[in-house]
Amino acid sequence: MHNGSCAGIALVTGASRGVGAGIAEALGALGMTVYLSGRTLSGIGTDTVGGQRLSGNLEASAAAVSDAGGHGIAVQCDHADDAQVAALFERIEREQGRLDLLVNNATFLPPQLTAPGPFWEKPLAMSQMLDVGLRSAYVASYYAMPLLLRSTQGLIVFISSFGANCYMHGPAYGAQKAGCDKMAADMAVDLESTPVNAVSLWLGLQKTERSALAGADDNVDYAAFLERAETPQFTGRVIHSLWKDPELERLNGHTLIVAEQALAYGLRDLDDRQPASLRQQLGSPPAVHPARVG
């Protein structure tokens, strides 16, 4: 075991590609040691959009973290398998002795996610978003806590969406995102006497390979989409600023909109754009009642 980087130790789940990979790269650029977990260690995985397989793997994502100035460590882990998740945290404990930041990003995204039609006409496999996406975030947080408690300021982040409070991609997707928001709020109660905090983040439109393929498949005006989209690295920079925030405790349990939090921290996207919040178009995080039972 060694003490790890003074710049912090992070785990980003579901970091083979897309949002997770971009978040990890941004954390690496800020000097962090980043563990990246997911199913696709090398080569090309099985995820498809519009019949086309998505590129990206953990080894490439970890290399991007290191190239950015951090230390990327790829760990193959199926977050549907609790034993593999437990082994992942055992490795982090063995190699680092603590964890400062957990980003719960892993989720199951079926090929039919953006297809038209009601839920009963789509495969029952859509419900797997409740297993990898919601339950998996609980499991990762559970195993992370003993390590996060050793941090001077630990943070659990749930990657969520405006779909938590408006109709987006159907009921399984919406329930998964709303569940993440509520999980952050309720974990925050248990975390009050600890150095660990939990937040849930609503991301805007994302510049990823998945969104590009989905946009092409749905005949979306992708140029207009790109004008409003955020890079995953933008979210990563916001997450890092949250973790470093000396007043992080005041946000414990909150659901935050990435674009608004970036503005509060004075952060801009990679192309120096200031992405706008979609609050007016897609809604606001609902208030959590302060009552506590049990």
Side-chain angles (χ1 to χ4, degrees):
M1 186 187 80
H2 59 82
N3 292 326
S5 168
C6 61
I9 312 297
L11 166 63
V12 182
T13 71
S16 301
R17 62 184 66 83
V19 170
I23 289 172
E25 182 181 356
L27 296 176
L30 292 160
M32 296 192 83
T33 293
V34 186
Y35 285 79
L36 301 87
S37 66
R39 292 173 300 159
T40 309
L41 184 63
S42 59
I44 297 178
T46 58
D47 289 357
T48 63
V49 174
Q52 186 167 329
R53 289 172 74 181
L54 295 172
S55 63
N57 59 62
L58 291 171
E59 290 180 346
S61 298
V65 170
S66 297
D67 289 346
H71 181 205
I73 304 170
V75 184
Q76 190 170 35
C77 176
D78 183 348
H79 281 271
D81 185 333
D82 293 356
Q84 291 187 38
V85 177
L88 167 63
F89 286 97
E90 287 169 3
R91 175 173 172 178
I92 296 172
E93 179 174 25
R94 187 169 63 250
E95 295 178 355
Q96 307 296 341
R98 75 171 202 278
L99 184 68
D100 300 303
L101 171 63
L102 168 65
V103 181
N104 282 312
N105 173 70
T107 189
F108 173 77
L109 293 176
Q112 303 86 358
L113 182 67
T114 59
F119 74 91
W120 63 89
E121 293 179 359
K122 295 182 181 181
L124 186 58
M126 297 285 287
S127 66
Q128 289 179 32
M129 284 184 277
L130 303 176
D131 298 320
V132 180
L134 185 56
R135 185 184 181 280
S136 64
Y138 184 96
V139 173
S141 301
Y142 175 88
Y143 284 115
M145 273 308 299
L147 297 177
L148 288 165
L149 287 169
R150 299 175 191 171
S151 175
T152 54
Q153 177 157 289
L155 176 61
I156 299 172
V157 175
F158 295 87
I159 298 301
S160 188
S161 156
F162 288 86
N165 200 35
C166 71
Y167 183 91
M168 186 180 291
H169 307 326
Y173 181 88
Q176 186 254 311
K177 296 306 184 187
C180 282
D181 295 352
K182 188 61 164 65
M183 203 178 290
D186 288 356
M187 283 185 181
V189 175
D190 291 347
L191 294 171
E192 281 176 350
S193 61
T194 78
V196 184
N197 295 278
V199 299
S200 194
L201 297 183
W202 283 9
L203 280 59
L205 305 167
Q206 293 294 295
K207 292 182 182 177
T208 63
E209 180 187 19
R210 180 183 293 274
S211 64
L213 291 173
D217 188 50
D218 294 339
N219 297 311
V220 171
D221 181 355
Y222 199 64
F225 169 89
L226 286 174
E227 287 180 7
R228 309 192 60 180
E230 305 164 0
T231 68
Q233 288 85 351
F234 180 63
T235 298
R237 293 174 66 194
V238 169
I239 290 172
H240 187 271
S241 292
L242 281 165
W243 172 60
K244 297 290 284 184
D245 191 336
E247 298 182 351
L248 174 59
E249 190 176 357
R250 68 189 166 83
L251 298 174
N252 189 30
H254 289 211
T255 294
L256 307 168
I257 295 172
V258 169
E260 295 177 3
Q261 203 59 36
L263 200 59
Y265 287 139
L267 298 174
R268 302 177 76 86
D269 210 337
L270 296 182
D271 54 6
D272 203 40
R273 284 176 56 255
Q274 192 74 63
S277 171
L278 299 177
R279 182 187 290 266
Q280 293 302 315
Q281 296 91 336
L282 299 179
S284 306
V288 175
H289 196 278
R292 297 182 180 184
V293 181

